[in-house]
Amino acid sequence: WIRSNHKLYILETHCQRRKQTMSRYNISHETIINAPITKVWKELIAIDDWSWNRWTKLKVESSTPPKEGIRGKLLASYDGNDVWKEFDFTFGKVSESDYLLAWMGSVGPGGCLFSGYHTMRLEEVIGEEGKEGKEGETSNTTRLIHREEFGGLLAKLGLGLPFKTLDRNYLLMNEALKECVEGKK
């Protein structure tokens, strides 16, 4: 029992400190998309029509638009081949004014075993990377910032998800969204 209690104590201690530690497996990709931010946002927020996305699907009841606090099922296809794993998720902040779509999931009390906080944020690009326009015009270039921060004991140990595969897939998602938006007139 002493050994069991010791392991429980270690888990409780880790759970209490979870928010202070970050995983080395966090993912971040930025992609420049040659389209106005409103056009990119329209494709990104249309989660019921992510035909461009072969790696992640966000499913909610009765095509409810994304909204903070709404729960659903995240479907992940690690090889982009329609073989899906299912996870519970909850939408975090969803803001058209900030062009932010966020969702999260966790395992264990308070996510102490595993947690993920996923964001896809858009920024209008003005200046060197974007095309300079006349005053008052909007840019035709958008930066997609795609991130996930992992926490919990399993993430700290590099367990729970195929992190290298996810890193590749998030970049592929960015490129697929870029291709989709740039291809639409």
Side-chain angles (χ1 to χ4, degrees), residues 4-15 17 153:
S4 268
N5 289 337
H6 180 67
K7 286 182 181 177
L8 181 59
Y9 171 76
I10 290 170
L11 179 60
E12 286 174 352
T13 302
H14 178 75
C15 289
R17 286 192 260 164
L153 185 59

Side-chain angles (χ1 to χ4, degrees), residues 129-142:
E129 294 175 274
K131 296 178 178 133
E132 291 282 351
K134 295 178 186 168
E135 191 172 326
E137 283 185 358
T138 59
S139 171
N140 284 323
T141 308
T142 302

Side-chain angles (χ1 to χ4, degrees), residues 77-159:
S77 177
Y78 297 128
D79 295 320
N81 60 357
D82 285 329
V83 175
W84 301 96
K85 287 194 168 223
E86 188 175 285
F87 302 92
D88 293 328
F89 83 94
T90 304
F91 279 112
K93 185 174 180 181
V94 179
S95 172
E96 184 172 0
S97 62
D98 294 327
Y99 298 104
L100 175 66
L101 176 63
W103 62 91
M104 61 197 125
S106 64
V107 177
C112 67
L113 291 178
F114 190 87
S115 66
Y117 190 79
H118 198 122
T119 60
M120 295 180 83
R121 185 168 55 89
L122 305 177
E123 291 179 350
E124 190 172 87
V125 178
I126 299 172
E128 269 183 47
E129 294 175 274
K131 296 178 178 133
E132 291 282 351
K134 295 178 186 168
E135 191 172 326
E137 283 185 358
T138 59
S139 171
N140 284 323
T141 308
T142 302
R143 176 181 293 109
L144 166 59
I145 303 162
H146 188 172
R147 294 189 172 135
E148 186 155 15
E149 293 184 3
F150 299 101
L153 185 59
L154 294 175
K156 191 165 180 83
L157 297 172
L159 303 172

